[in-house]
Amino acid sequence: MERARVKDWLIGAAGMILVLVAAVAILWLAVSAPAGSAEPDPAPSPGAETEPTPDAAPPGDLGEDETWLADLALDAGTVVTAGSTLRDVRAVGQDVVAGPGGLIAGQLTVDATVPFEVVAAELGEGTVVQAAGDGQATVVRTVEALGRELRVVATGTVEVDAGRLVMEPRSIDFGGPDFLSDAVAAVVRTFVTIEHSIEGLPEGLVLQDVTVQDDGFRANLSGEDVNLAS
């Protein structure tokens, strides 16, 4: 991951590290809220509500130039990188070590909302992606099939597949008769299928779950030994 991208999404974390270097670890724990104690987001994912670990012990090989944090919580309203935008980002780290090797989280859980417009832009200009109810999403776009332009409405359930956010249409409608819809659906399916890889987060995080909200796709990611900043 490029250093610029790390600084973009963890700009809040950078400020915290400066404070950490200037003060002792006890002061940091005194002024920061433990993970899980903040007010929950309107639609939080279970992974973001990690309980604090008051009985956790630092590693036995902690170096003299390293600082250990049992818990670390970071929040950002919007995170923008060169290729992506995320909103309502909450990261909860445990067993975090700050030192010459960077800022390493033994365990990291991130919840973030991928706006519909980010996914729509990947499908093509003029595409609209929106919630459809019952945990489904709808894609509306104009495609060319059999020499004609068709306004297609595709709806399906959003799932996690190979670490990506995927929506395989279960129904495709363009306003024609049923017998023709079945034939055209096979042609246009690829144009209304969502396959989105979440970007802008540290390497090592793997997408675990995704749900559909009114403002986008709420994603939960987690990983071990994640380098937050180097």
Side-chain angles (χ1 to χ4, degrees):
M1 176 177 296
E2 298 179 359
R3 184 181 300 273
R5 293 183 61 197
V6 173
K7 290 182 179 179
D8 282 339
W9 97 270
L10 276 179
I11 187 171
M16 292 181 183
I17 297 304
L18 291 176
V19 174
L20 181 61
V21 173
V24 295
I26 295 177
L27 177 59
W28 165 253
L29 295 176
V31 300
S32 64
S37 64
E39 290 296 322
D41 291 328
S45 298
E49 300 304 315
T50 305
E51 293 295 328
T53 53
D55 298 329
D61 59 351
L62 187 68
E64 294 183 357
D65 54 354
E66 294 179 329
T67 301
W68 177 79
L69 301 174
D71 308 283
L72 179 64
L74 305 173
D75 294 274
T78 301
V79 174
V80 178
T81 63
S84 182
T85 297
L86 300 173
R87 297 199 179 104
D88 299 328
V89 180
R90 176 168 176 78
V92 176
Q94 293 180 320
D95 190 20
V96 181
V97 176
L103 184 64
I104 311 296
Q107 294 182 332
L108 182 68
T109 299
V110 176
D111 286 328
T113 298
V114 182
F116 287 135
E117 57 266 27
V118 171
V119 177
E122 292 183 347
L123 294 178
E125 185 177 355
T127 301
V128 175
V129 178
Q130 59 193 17
D134 297 327
Q136 296 186 315
T138 293
V139 174
V140 182
R141 67 173 303 192
T142 299
V143 302
E144 183 175 334
L146 305 178
R148 302 295 297 272
E149 287 191 347
L150 303 173
R151 183 178 183 274
V152 179
V153 179
T155 301
T157 302
V158 180
E159 301 175 342
V160 176
D161 183 11
R164 296 177 300 172
L165 185 161
V166 174
M167 191 280 280
E168 181 75 22
R170 296 189 176 182
S171 67
I172 299 177
D173 179 35
F174 66 96
D178 291 341
F179 75 91
L180 189 56
S181 294
D182 292 340
V184 175
V187 177
V188 303
R189 180 174 296 274
T190 184
F191 298 107
V192 289
T193 296
I194 296 173
E195 296 182 352
H196 177 74
S197 298
I198 297 177
E199 300 179 351
L201 298 175
E203 294 181 2
L205 287 171
V206 179
L207 182 62
Q208 304 293 335
D209 187 39
V210 60
T211 58
V212 182
Q213 299 183 162
D214 291 339
D215 59 345
F217 301 102
R218 188 67 176 173
N220 171 256
L221 307 94
S222 64
E224 297 182 354
D225 298 326
V226 178
N227 193 338
L228 303 179
S230 57

